[in-house]
Amino acid sequence: MATVSNVNPHSRGPLQEYDERVHSHQLKNDDHQRGLVQSLQDLHDMLEEYTPPKVVHPSIRSLKPRSKSWIGALFQNKPTKKLATQIPPNLPKGLYMYGDVGSGKTMLMDMFYDTLPPNITSKTRIHFHNFMQDVHHRLHVMKTEHGDDLDAILYVAADIAEKGSVLCFDEFQCTDVADAMILRRLLEALMTHGVVLVTTSNRHPDDLYKNGIQRQSFIPCINLLKTRLRVLNLDSHTDYRKIPRPPSGVYHHPLDKAAVSHAEKWFRFLGDPDNDPPHTAVQRVWGRDIEVPKVSGQAAWFKFDELIGRATGAADYLELMRSYHAFIVTDIPGMSYRERDLARRFITFIDAVYESRAKLVLTSSVPLYQLFMSPDEVHDALDSGRAKGDVALPTDGEDVDDVMRMMMDDLGLNMQMLKSSAIFSGDEERFAFSRALSRLSEMGSREWVERGLGLEHRGGKGEKEGWERVRSRWREDTL
């Protein structure tokens, strides 16, 4: 495995390196490519302030199953507690860059890898296929030495983490069932040891291991990639104004440095800063003024507290929908039962955005599936639901996060979960919360996001004008 000491003699970040290559005519300046390099710079800046935790190897004994015989139990001390598999809260969010041949994957990875900040003392870069071959070899050696019942993944992950705190993969893919069955636990274990992952691929995480054997068992790995890495589309799509679509999806967490550039890129794309520079505006609803902190074109930008923290309601949101086609809402907190009033208000806003077919860009402190229920609340609801027989028993390797992710896409499961929770006051409220998660999932889809934007591959300006007629009819219907 190609682990080397990190050397960055010029102490340049990716953006400086890009500018230097443009200046020396090695590259042509390109807005889409610059946006991608900005994402590399965001991670570079977070790595400058990152101190990875000390790697601690689990003991061989802790990776062995407990003896089931009473004789073995007599000679076995109290169970050895396995090392915690909690991902450090300060772990910077890595990158998953995907695109077709010729989209610049190798150049971007070179630029990121060669400009890592000096505090990252060692780094590893390897083709993903070679990495998995090395992992399987290590697992084989461990099991040969200590027995087939050894849970060797955690030990191998610690070995790899000791080599470097930044691990870069070229050409991430999964075509082998043996890889598919261990990948989620392996990547999660690496993150637990503080390893930042950066990878290129020729396909979106949702398209990995398509039609593979037991693919359902691979879904948790896909969800891990989408949650813990920032997914960037390297293929350029421009609208009729020739402005490139931001490479990431519309939802971003956590509230790190990348969250700021995420919101700014989408505001520039959905607004019209060249013809309508950002400014404040005031909307009047039933004799009251609603201040909109930042407006450009038909896009409005609010911080969560500015929109939901105020005494606003359905009438206010409806008036905003008539005035704007896109909303950027930043700094959204997780809302447990203590913030139930804020959650109800936010759900009313989500319903208004959905029913008006507007765009929604969010930055939040937690993943979307944790917005309305904390992991502890879901855990309690799971235990209660399983005790009553309302919720299925867990499958192998399934954890609370997996259940919460599935709730985003399965309204039926969502309702079952919420019925098992004591934090909702009735069926109507449970349905509202369930539907909000489902609608957020739909509004984050590529089809929803790109509809009506005038992207050239979807019909350009004509497509945008057709969509504006649909929106105009909606406004008339709500008067």
Side-chain angles (χ1 to χ4, degrees):
M1 196 172 295
T3 301
V4 298
S5 297
N6 182 38
V7 179
N8 182 359
H10 304 294
S11 296
R12 283 202 292 251
L15 264 181
Q16 289 174 296
E17 180 65 25
Y18 182 77
D19 287 338
E20 177 62 30
R21 294 187 190 185
V22 169
H23 180 72
S24 61
H25 305 291
Q26 298 176 57
L27 293 173
K28 288 184 178 180
N29 190 46
D30 177 85
D31 284 346
H32 175 69
Q33 202 167 64
R34 182 172 290 277
L36 294 167
V37 176
Q38 179 63 60
S39 298
L40 303 182
Q41 185 68 45
D42 290 339
L43 179 53
H44 178 280
D45 292 345
M46 287 185 278
L47 286 170
E48 281 187 317
E49 301 173 1
Y50 177 58
T51 303
K54 180 178 172 58
V55 176
V56 179
H57 275 77
S59 67
I60 296 299
R61 184 175 157 223
S62 73
L63 302 178
K64 286 277 195 175
R66 292 268 302 157
S67 174
K68 294 182 180 179
S69 72
W70 66 271
I71 296 177
L74 285 175
F75 294 97
Q76 200 166 33
N77 295 327
K78 290 182 179 179
T80 304
K81 189 176 181 180
K82 289 188 180 181
L83 272 81
T85 55
Q86 190 75 28
I87 295 174
N90 69 328
L91 179 72
K93 197 169 188 177
L95 295 173
Y96 183 105
M97 302 180 285
Y98 75 98
D100 292 333
V101 174
S103 59
K105 295 190 291 284
T106 301
M107 182 203 74
L108 289 167
M109 181 65 92
D110 288 345
M111 192 176 293
F112 174 77
Y113 190 75
D114 292 342
T115 61
L116 280 167
N119 60 301
I120 303 299
T121 55
S122 58
K123 56 189 181 181
T124 305
R125 182 175 180 182
I126 186 171
H127 193 282
F128 188 72
H129 176 71
N130 295 339
F131 172 77
M132 290 309 300
Q133 284 189 320
D134 179 70
V135 166
H136 285 297
H137 173 71
R138 290 170 184 252
L139 292 174
H140 175 73
V141 170
M142 290 286 295
K143 293 195 173 193
T144 299
E145 185 174 347
H146 301 286
D148 285 339
D149 59 351
L150 183 78
D151 183 6
I153 290 176
L154 296 179
Y155 200 95
V156 168
D159 273 348
I160 295 170
E162 275 189 328
K163 302 293 184 183
S165 54
V166 175
L167 176 56
C168 297
F169 296 131
D170 289 300
E171 301 299 334
F172 189 105
Q173 60 179 324
C174 184
T175 57
D176 187 273
V177 65
D179 292 349
M181 294 304 101
I182 68 169
L183 252 179
R184 183 266 176 89
R185 291 192 65 229
L186 175 64
L187 297 181
E188 193 167 49
L190 288 168
M191 293 178 193
T192 297
H193 289 298
V195 176
V196 178
L197 301 179
V198 177
T199 185
T200 65
S201 181
N202 61 0
R203 59 188 63 195
H204 189 279
D206 286 335
D207 296 327
L208 291 170
Y209 197 53
K210 263 202 167 171
N211 305 316
I213 299 170
Q214 299 180 46
R215 187 175 190 266
Q216 194 61 31
S217 299
F218 186 69
I219 298 300
C221 181
I222 292 174
N223 288 331
L224 179 72
L225 292 170
K226 293 195 297 184
T227 303
R228 293 291 178 176
L229 305 183
R230 192 178 182 193
V231 179
L232 302 178
N233 184 355
L234 305 189
D235 299 323
S236 177
H237 295 299
T238 58
D239 69 1
Y240 71 99
R241 302 168 298 167
K242 306 300 181 186
I243 296 177
R245 178 195 186 281
S248 61
V250 288
Y251 305 143
H252 178 91
H253 84 278
L255 298 176
D256 53 16
K257 289 186 177 180
V260 177
S261 63
H262 171 86
E264 288 172 345
K265 287 175 189 173
W266 276 105
F267 183 65
R268 179 176 181 272
F269 180 64
L270 295 171
D272 189 9
D274 292 336
N275 299 308
D276 184 24
H279 59 278
T280 59
V282 176
Q283 300 296 328
R284 197 157 183 80
V285 183
W286 292 357
R288 293 188 301 108
D289 288 341
I290 301 177
E291 184 179 341
V292 186
K294 190 182 287 189
V295 173
S296 174
Q298 295 178 322
W301 183 340
F302 293 88
K303 288 184 178 179
F304 181 83
D305 286 342
E306 294 168 337
L307 178 67
I308 306 301
R310 300 173 179 174
T312 50
D316 304 304
Y317 305 144
L318 187 59
E319 186 59 36
L320 290 172
M321 299 306 133
R322 292 194 185 105
S323 303
Y324 306 106
H325 290 189
F327 295 86
I328 292 85
V329 183
T330 59
D331 302 308
I332 303 169
M335 289 162 275
S336 65
Y337 70 93
R338 297 181 185 87
E339 296 85 23
R340 194 58 68 218
D341 287 342
L342 285 177
R344 291 188 186 99
R345 208 174 292 158
F346 189 45
I347 284 170
T348 302
F349 173 75
I350 290 168
D351 288 341
V353 174
Y354 181 87
E355 288 160 10
S356 71
R357 302 177 179 87
K359 311 299 179 194
L360 184 61
V361 177
L362 305 177
T363 68
S364 57
S365 61
V366 296
L368 288 190
Y369 56 81
Q370 291 181 15
L371 274 183
F372 305 125
M373 291 179 75
S374 69
D376 287 343
E377 288 171 338
V378 171
H379 193 279
D380 292 343
L382 273 174
D383 288 345
S384 174
R386 285 167 178 160
K388 297 174 185 174
D390 294 334
V391 179
L393 294 174
T395 57
D396 287 345
E398 181 183 85
D399 64 12
V400 172
D401 261 12
D402 293 328
V403 174
M404 295 175 81
R405 291 184 190 105
M406 287 188 290
M407 286 171 65
M408 288 289 296
D409 303 314
D410 188 337
L411 189 58
L413 171 65
N414 203 339
M415 282 297 290
Q416 284 181 323
M417 285 291 303
L418 299 186
K419 282 181 180 178
S420 303
S421 172
I423 62 179
F424 298 96
S425 59
D427 286 344
E428 187 174 337
E429 187 176 75
R430 292 187 186 102
F431 179 74
F433 278 70
S434 301
R435 186 177 61 186
L437 284 176
S438 178
R439 287 181 165 182
L440 282 171
S441 180
E442 185 178 352
M443 288 191 288
S445 68
R446 180 174 177 177
E447 181 183 357
W448 185 287
V449 171
E450 294 188 350
R451 188 171 53 193
L453 292 180
L455 293 178
E456 291 181 329
H457 72 285
R458 289 185 176 267
K461 191 173 183 180
E463 188 265 351
K464 179 177 176 64
E465 290 171 346
W467 183 244
E468 285 179 345
R469 288 193 289 272
V470 172
R471 285 270 305 175
S472 178
R473 286 195 293 271
W474 172 84
R475 283 195 295 270
E476 291 171 4
D477 292 341
T478 57
L479 287 174

